[in-house]
Amino acid sequence: MKKNLKLSLLMLSVFAFTAPLASCKKNEDDRIAVTWWNNYVAPTSGTDEENRKNASYNEYYFAKDVIDQFEKDHPNIRVDMVYKGKYNEIANEIKDGISTGNIPSLASGYADNTAVYANQGVALDVSSFIDSPKFGFGKKGNSNATYYENDSADNYVEDTTTAKADFSSSFLEIEKGMYTGGKLYSMPYSKSSEALYLNKDMMDKVGEGKCGTTTAGKGNTNLTYKAPEAAATKTQYVLDANSDGTVSFLELIDVAKKAKADFPSIFNDSGKYDDDSHDGGGTDQEGYKYACPIVYDSAENLFITACEALGVPYLNANGTDAASQVLFNNADAKKVVTQLKAWYDEGLICTTNQLYYTNKSKGYHQYATQLLKNGKAIAIISSTAGARYVADEGFICEIQDNVSYLRSDFGLTGGKTTPVKKVISQGPSISFFKNKDERVERASFEFYKALTNSTNSYKLASKTSYFPIRVSSNNQIVEEYKEAIKKDNGTYAERQKANTGKMFNLNVKYNNEKVNYMTQAFTYSSASRTAVGNLMSSVLKEGVEVETAFNSAYNTVVK
């Protein structure tokens, strides 16, 4: 009896220790089972041939083809891809499953949620895998590989498609810098950044032009774009007014002021319109904008990037408590938002949250890219992944790197006296999870290497316009699209290629200049991002006092 009691207690303690770890899936075919939770919707009807032509399933079929090839190359590993909804839905299901062990081997998502997994003790640090002589970059398991730590080195061969030297060091360093202690609980998957998109016709237009726009609000790609009518005094705009090689935020604002004067029928703040044409600019009855010279797509990114570039405290993951970790409620940050509010009140700049609704019941505002394409914005700052969405016949989009920030332009004293450029790195990563079967952990990294090798990184980037995480893949796309980039105009497809190629050139520039950044991921990072986005919206459009908005945002995060 006593022996059985001891055995029962031992079994209970083992279960308690292993429950939070990803459980081994029942695997009838004796292969190592790797489970990947992602947001790739699978078709439920239609033929395979028909569905492959549907852009909605691009990413699903990309992943399916990668898995099929991977399983042929690795007959001892099986990869199960499971659709779990949007990134937040994936994260919520993982958080719910931590106590029971119902979590995957891999998951697509963002670092803020991965930090939660790490705090719960289920995230796997893959730092040691990267340079492993058997399991790391540049290596590939053959059909005899077991993925045990003590497996023979003879079972692993060279694989140039996953060489570490070809992996973007910029993206890897950013990922490593997101977690305390330089841990790697996730790895880059497909990335994007932000860029300055310009309506070249509106920028370059000289004198009065008697022409209209495309079908208002529809973005009809079968119509030729024509710049809106301009004042007779309109001159060609110069962004880099001081010729220092960068466009400062204030220089962009100065162009917006000129646009207000030169396109009065477009950037008219006083008009109120109930119809769907929106041809006269103005706002709807609730004050949402039909047009604005400059639109910054993401309110959150505007706030965070301004803080990063201007040296204004935002978050500090290394603090010891909420007060030393959540830092955005400070005097300098309030000055920045106060200045942005002044420019907003002048009708010069807004974020997507202040644009008119396209579907109010779902909370969908008009896209900044659509306003630019319709001649209702002269410049937008938006995701680099949106390059293909500003393609229209006849429409030429000039693409530049993001603006720089100068402290004095925002009423700040001290600190750097020269403009600083920072661009936020975005896009999903792949999170890794501990497993009580050590083979699953290494097999998961083996699959990640294949998923992001030079061939597959190129394929995914070509389908999505997200930056590839391999240098050779990026260079391949730039080379393929260089002829399209040279053309001033072309067909819709050629415009898509040209814009995508420009963005991938920008990826090289950002990496060389080392201006990419991401804020650290920890307990308060996700809530802080949401809070500052809400803060911006409440100050800009709703007129909430800056002090009140900051206090409310801070209290929401820490309490």
Side-chain angles (χ1 to χ4, degrees), residues 466-486:
Y466 275 83
F467 291 153
I469 58 175
R470 290 199 166 269
V471 175
S472 61
S473 306
N474 196 88
N475 292 344
Q476 184 178 351
I477 293 175
V478 169
E479 180 66 22
E480 285 184 12
Y481 291 177
K482 70 179 181 181
E483 292 304 317
I485 294 172
K486 291 177 183 177

Side-chain angles (χ1 to χ4, degrees), residues 182-419:
K183 303 284 188 179
L184 271 173
Y185 297 116
S186 61
M187 289 288 287
Y189 180 39
S190 60
K191 292 299 174 181
S192 65
S193 191
E194 289 186 318
L196 176 61
Y197 295 72
L198 302 168
N199 184 315
K200 187 169 175 57
D201 285 329
M202 295 178 75
M203 289 286 296
D204 293 351
K205 199 171 188 65
V206 176
E208 189 171 6
K210 297 287 186 181
C211 50
T213 62
T214 58
T215 303
K218 307 303 180 186
N220 191 332
T221 57
N222 295 319
L223 298 178
T224 299
Y225 168 84
K226 292 181 180 178
E229 184 178 336
T233 55
K234 166 75 168 73
T235 59
Q236 184 172 346
Y237 298 154
V238 178
L239 269 176
D240 184 10
N242 62 3
S243 302
D244 67 351
T246 184
V247 178
S248 73
F249 206 101
L250 187 58
E251 286 174 324
L252 189 61
I253 290 293
D254 286 339
V255 166
K257 291 178 179 178
K258 293 175 182 176
K260 284 272 291 182
D262 290 337
F263 298 96
S265 65
I266 300 297
F267 303 121
N268 169 23
D269 295 324
S270 60
K272 302 284 185 183
Y273 297 90
D274 290 322
D275 60 34
D276 291 328
S277 69
H278 312 160
D279 285 338
T283 63
D284 65 13
Q285 296 300 318
E286 295 181 89
Y288 290 101
K289 292 177 177 289
Y290 291 138
C292 188
I294 303 168
V295 183
Y296 205 120
D297 215 353
S298 167
E300 295 86 350
N301 288 0
L302 172 55
F303 182 99
I304 297 168
T305 301
C307 287
E308 181 75 15
L310 294 168
V312 175
Y314 171 57
L315 295 176
N316 176 20
N318 298 314
T320 56
D321 55 14
S324 59
Q325 292 177 321
V326 182
L327 307 176
F328 65 78
N329 191 16
N330 63 77
D332 281 354
K334 292 169 187 175
K335 286 182 181 179
V336 171
V337 173
T338 299
Q339 181 58 72
L340 291 171
K341 168 64 171 172
W343 288 328
Y344 174 83
D345 288 344
E346 285 186 65
L348 305 176
I349 188 170
C350 71
T351 73
T352 301
N353 295 342
Q354 290 83 52
L355 300 182
Y356 66 94
Y357 282 105
T358 55
N359 188 327
K360 191 171 183 179
S361 64
K362 293 185 177 181
Y364 295 164
H365 294 272
Q366 180 58 282
Y367 292 111
T369 50
Q370 193 67 54
L371 254 67
L372 185 79
K373 202 163 54 172
N374 288 347
K376 301 302 174 65
I378 196 165
I380 66 171
I381 296 174
S382 187
S383 169
T384 54
R388 61 180 58 192
Y389 299 114
V390 291
D392 253 331
E393 288 191 35
F395 176 66
I396 302 174
C397 180
E398 186 172 331
I399 294 172
Q400 298 187 10
D401 47 344
N402 208 351
V403 295
S404 60
Y405 294 76
L406 184 62
R407 285 179 62 86
S408 58
D409 292 343
F410 290 84
L412 304 180
T413 57
K416 291 190 176 181
T417 57
T418 55

Side-chain angles (χ1 to χ4, degrees), residues 31 34 36 38 60-74 77-82 447 450-451 456:
R31 290 181 291 174
V34 171
W36 177 24
N38 63 29
Y60 167 78
Y61 277 110
F62 160 76
K64 180 180 183 302
D65 292 344
V66 170
I67 291 170
D68 288 346
Q69 185 60 52
F70 178 81
E71 291 182 339
K72 288 179 183 177
D73 295 340
H74 302 78
I77 302 175
R78 187 183 82 221
V79 179
D80 297 321
M81 175 170 59
V82 184
F447 173 65
L451 183 67
N456 293 327

